[in-house]
Amino acid sequence: MSRQAPAGWYPDPGEPDQLRWWDGTEWATDTVAPRTSVAVDDPEPAAAPAPAPVPAPAPGAARASTVWIWAAIAASVLPLYTGAFLDMEAVARLFGEASAALTPAGWIVAGLSLLVVVDLVLVALAVLFARLDQRALRRRGIPSPFGWGWAALAFVATLGVYVAGRTFVVHRETGRGLAPFWGWLVATAVGLVVFAVWITLFSDAAWEAVTTAR
């Protein structure tokens, strides 16, 4: 109740043709009467007390994270890890057993080309997921999310521009939403370490394979 009405008979909110007793605090559960049976000393019941207004959701009520932002982050940082899936010893043995038709250098180029194709597909998925993330944020009450087109920078640099811009907008609107940025930052930092270790091991194995084959 937005204000307390005095006790008395009022039109039943669920049955307008009947009257229900209001005790000044709440409706009676089983005291209902047709309009014609109201006592003569109360011929004109007062207007029904207005229901309590439903409070509007707080500005931070919208969920700040979506499954799509996490999918975009995962797809964008995986290229830093894909090379680590290779077994360096197996690659070196493969180089040594390569046929005359394909030199060890040829196997190196073929393997790296395959990694590049896989990484490009992952980055394309990251851009798609960023687009879906923007749509999900609009449905959750954020009218102007950060432009998903910035995610395309992942092809030449990093998804960080989109993640950082999205974090700023979402945090401004909801007071939350920092987790995706920190998640991306940690995954990228660890990925750079993994990539540095892998490229060192790969270079050593490739050099050994090429020099041994001569």
Side-chain angles (χ1 to χ4, degrees):
M1 300 294 295
S2 57
R3 59 184 178 84
Q4 298 295 338
W9 291 95
Y10 297 95
D12 189 339
E15 296 289 341
D17 293 337
Q18 292 184 331
L19 298 174
R20 184 177 291 274
W21 180 257
W22 171 258
D23 64 7
T25 303
E26 59 184 6
W27 295 105
T29 57
D30 55 0
T31 308
V32 181
R35 286 180 179 271
T36 55
S37 65
V38 180
V40 177
D41 59 350
D42 190 15
E44 289 293 334
V54 178
R63 286 192 297 164
S65 293
T66 71
V67 65
W68 301 116
I69 185 58
W70 293 109
I73 291 171
S76 70
V77 300
L78 273 177
L80 296 173
Y81 297 84
T82 49
F85 298 145
L86 290 177
D87 183 343
M88 292 295 104
E89 294 183 2
V91 171
R93 288 196 301 270
L94 182 62
F95 289 159
E97 298 169 359
S99 65
L102 191 60
T103 64
W107 279 106
I108 294 173
V109 172
L112 292 178
S113 298
L114 177 61
L115 281 180
V116 169
V117 171
V118 171
D119 293 346
L120 287 175
V121 171
L122 289 171
V123 173
L125 287 174
V127 175
L128 173 62
F129 294 149
R131 174 72 179 99
L132 296 174
D133 173 61
Q134 185 191 58
R135 292 177 58 185
L137 289 176
R138 281 203 178 100
R139 288 195 297 267
R140 294 182 181 185
I142 299 177
S144 300
F146 192 70
W148 68 273
W150 290 98
L153 289 177
F155 283 106
V156 295
T158 173
L159 189 72
V161 175
Y162 174 75
V163 176
R166 175 203 189 274
T167 299
F168 172 79
V169 172
V170 171
H171 189 265
R172 182 187 62 194
E173 295 289 335
T174 68
R176 296 181 294 177
L178 298 178
F181 174 77
W182 290 112
W184 167 82
L185 192 62
V186 171
T188 301
V190 174
L192 289 173
V193 174
V194 171
F195 179 79
V197 172
W198 171 80
I199 199 66
T200 301
L201 295 175
F202 180 82
S203 299
D204 291 344
W207 176 255
E208 182 180 354
V210 171
T211 55
T212 305
R214 291 177 179 176

